[in-house]
Amino acid sequence: MRTFEPRLLLCPDAASAAVEAADRVAAALREERVIGLATGATMAPLYRRLRHQLAGHPLPPRGVIGIALDEYVGLRPEHPESFRAYLDGAFVRPLGLTGEQIVVPDGMAGDRLAAARRHEAAITAAGGIELQLLGIGANGHIGFNEPGSPLDSCTRDVSLTAQTRAAQIASFGSADAVPTRAITAGIGTILGARRLLMLVTGEAKAAALSAALAGPVNPSCPASALRLHPEVTVICDPAATSQLGTYLDRKRAPETC
Ligand code: F6R
């Protein structure tokens, strides 16, 4: 198994890490067409900055296509916690895009296998993803590929772990309201993008980032699969790197922003 070392960019704080990541996304949107989108709390400042960056700078005429990584099963698109609603508010409307320029897995589909296949087909039809934006779960998940997910998995219906669901209780208001399943792009799907950009901030992600960069490459930490891709940039703040230990010492010159 050939592995690569991701480029690690250390920023002074979470806000500057989000700005740095947003600047790269803005550049990609101006030059390329298809971008893979992540959601979640870490991404919120990134989308705010992106909106600001692109204000008054129209995107290329042929337009962009945003392809979401995942969606909860059983949430209507208009549900405020659906990833469709998140991306409509954070990406589609602020950038003046149309409904045809965003693809989100259909979490309401009766046939979820067919919905997952349609999502893969949409990625293929768009010509593949140029830049895939990623966050990381405290358990090392990417998209909703929970620990144990095969490194070559494709888009599919998955069950969410108790840890992942617990992290969402505050947003949903109660434990019972948090969905138990999601449709997620697989790890193999993610690795199919031409470039990967991960944004990691906060102490709560430190153990996961350490496992991803310095632990073994295997399904126990889905984010470790990033090391199977030659074009990966990880942008993080000091809190997220606090458990990297000797990994940082071994890096000859970690880049800073
Ligand atoms: C969301 C996604 C997830 C999140 C991860 C971190 O589309 O794919 O992998 O990136 O759960 O979420 P936050 O940033 O809310 O901690």
Side-chain angles (χ1 to χ4, degrees), residues 38-42 69-70 83 135-137 141-143 205:
T39 58
T42 311
L69 266 176
D70 40 20
F83 291 159
I136 188 171
H141 73 215
I142 48 174
K205 304 297 173 62

Side-chain angles (χ1 to χ4, degrees), residues 91-181:
F91 187 78
V92 178
R93 282 197 300 273
L95 270 51
L97 306 181
T98 65
E100 287 76 57
Q101 289 175 276
I102 182 90
V103 178
V104 183
D106 180 4
M108 290 300 290
D111 183 344
R112 296 200 285 273
L113 181 60
R117 286 194 180 133
R118 279 199 300 278
H119 194 69
E120 285 283 339
I123 295 171
T124 306
I129 292 174
E130 295 289 341
L131 178 69
Q132 175 66 59
L133 192 55
L134 294 168
I136 188 171
N139 64 0
H141 73 215
I142 48 174
F144 274 139
N145 294 281
E146 301 282 37
S149 299
L151 300 186
D152 61 355
S153 48
C154 58
T155 303
R156 68 207 186 288
D157 171 30
V158 296
S159 161
L160 302 177
T161 61
Q163 186 182 6
T164 294
R165 295 187 65 234
Q168 299 307 323
I169 293 175
S171 312
F172 280 86
S174 75
D176 287 349
V178 182
T180 57
R181 307 193 70 84

Side-chain angles (χ1 to χ4, degrees), residues 220-243:
S220 65
C221 177
S224 67
L226 264 58
R227 283 152 56 206
L228 299 175
H229 195 294
E231 284 295 326
V232 181
T233 301
V234 177
I235 301 183
C236 49
D237 69 349
T241 63
S242 58
Q243 292 188 35

Side-chain angles (χ1 to χ4, degrees), residues 72-93:
Y72 291 115
V73 164
L75 292 196
R76 297 195 165 281
E78 57 277 12
H79 188 291
E81 293 305 323
S82 76
F83 291 159
R84 159 82 65 175
Y86 178 114
L87 289 171
D88 278 349
F91 187 78
V92 178
R93 282 197 300 273

